Amino acid sequence: MIDFTKLILFVPTMLLISATPGMCMTLAMTLGMTVGLKRTAWMMTGEVLGVALVSTLSGIGVASLMLRYPTAFTAFKLIGGLYMLWLGLQLWRSRGAMAISSEELDSSAFPAGRILALQGFVTAIANPKGWAFFMALLPPFMLTANGPINAHNGAVLLIILLSELFCMTLYATGGKALRQLLKQRSNVAVLNRVAGTLMIGVGVWLAAS
């Protein structure tokens, strides 16, 4: 059984989270500037595999928690919402921390495809924010009537992967256009504050849902 209403609501939510600047999106943008979209696709492949692993393990764990300990799940959801609020505030305070230096932009070292894929995979699974996001975001959109592994939750996973791939492609493609813009910390500060505001909104929604 697939709940299409939940899936329709999940699409814009996941796109919003994927589009928010973070480790993986910054990596895609930086590689798009330095090695081009074709080679960046290796990194994106590894990142998508890593996200598939993280989201699957997170989803199974959250589903089990929902079924066995509903009170603990409610508490965890509130903690997840508060964590996202904290991340949003950190983005507001970071000012221009994501600015990219000229040395990074002008680098001529082109890693092998397998190295880029491994880099994307490790970045996805080693990022604690990614685990926190999925543990906090997935519960409202999952179905657990027939256990955590079912067609609906498989569709949720597919949306996650397509959203990540779509947003990374946008970041990598727009990398060269943003090359000069992101050298200025003041410009990056504006982007961080927009992203921080969106993150705070998601955190409030999770805590109140």
Side-chain angles (χ1 to χ4, degrees):
M1 178 180 178
I2 296 179
D3 188 330
F4 289 100
T5 300
K6 285 181 178 288
L7 293 182
I8 291 172
L9 291 173
F10 184 61
V11 171
T13 302
M14 190 61 215
L15 283 173
L16 172 62
I17 295 300
S18 294
T20 301
M23 291 174 61
C24 294
M25 295 304 155
T26 303
L27 179 60
M29 183 172 57
T30 304
L31 290 175
M33 294 177 183
T34 55
V35 303
L37 179 60
K38 184 179 293 187
R39 294 186 63 80
T40 303
W42 285 97
M43 184 283 295
M44 293 192 290
T45 300
E47 195 272 351
V48 167
L49 292 175
V51 168
L53 177 62
V54 172
S55 57
T56 299
L57 293 179
S58 299
I60 291 175
V62 168
S64 299
L65 187 65
M66 290 170 65
L67 288 171
R68 298 180 183 180
Y69 309 104
T71 302
F73 160 70
T74 300
F76 186 84
K77 184 186 67 171
L78 291 173
I79 292 171
L82 292 174
Y83 180 70
M84 289 192 177
L85 285 172
W86 181 81
L87 291 177
L89 292 174
Q90 294 304 304
L91 279 172
W92 261 88
R93 298 174 58 189
S94 64
R95 297 180 181 177
M98 287 173 59
I100 299 173
S101 67
S102 298
E103 289 76 12
E104 289 176 304
L105 291 174
D106 296 333
S107 173
S108 58
F110 282 22
R114 64 180 181 277
I115 300 300
L116 291 173
L118 180 61
Q119 185 178 18
F121 182 79
V122 170
T123 300
I125 65 173
N127 182 8
K129 293 180 183 179
W131 291 91
F133 286 154
F134 287 121
M135 293 290 283
L137 281 173
L138 289 179
F141 301 101
M142 294 181 65
L143 292 181
T144 59
N146 299 316
I149 301 177
N150 53 53
H152 176 87
N153 294 341
V156 169
L157 175 61
L158 180 61
I159 291 171
I160 291 171
L161 301 185
L162 291 177
S163 177
E164 282 287 297
L165 183 60
F166 174 73
C167 290
M168 280 193 297
T169 301
L170 289 182
Y171 269 77
T173 303
K176 290 188 177 180
L178 292 172
R179 181 182 179 117
Q180 298 301 319
L181 176 66
L182 292 176
K183 288 183 180 180
Q184 303 296 323
R185 293 176 66 88
S186 60
N187 294 331
V188 179
V190 174
L191 295 178
N192 283 348
R193 288 176 179 177
V194 171
T197 300
L198 295 175
M199 192 69 64
I200 290 171
V202 173
V204 171
W205 177 79
L206 283 172
S209 64

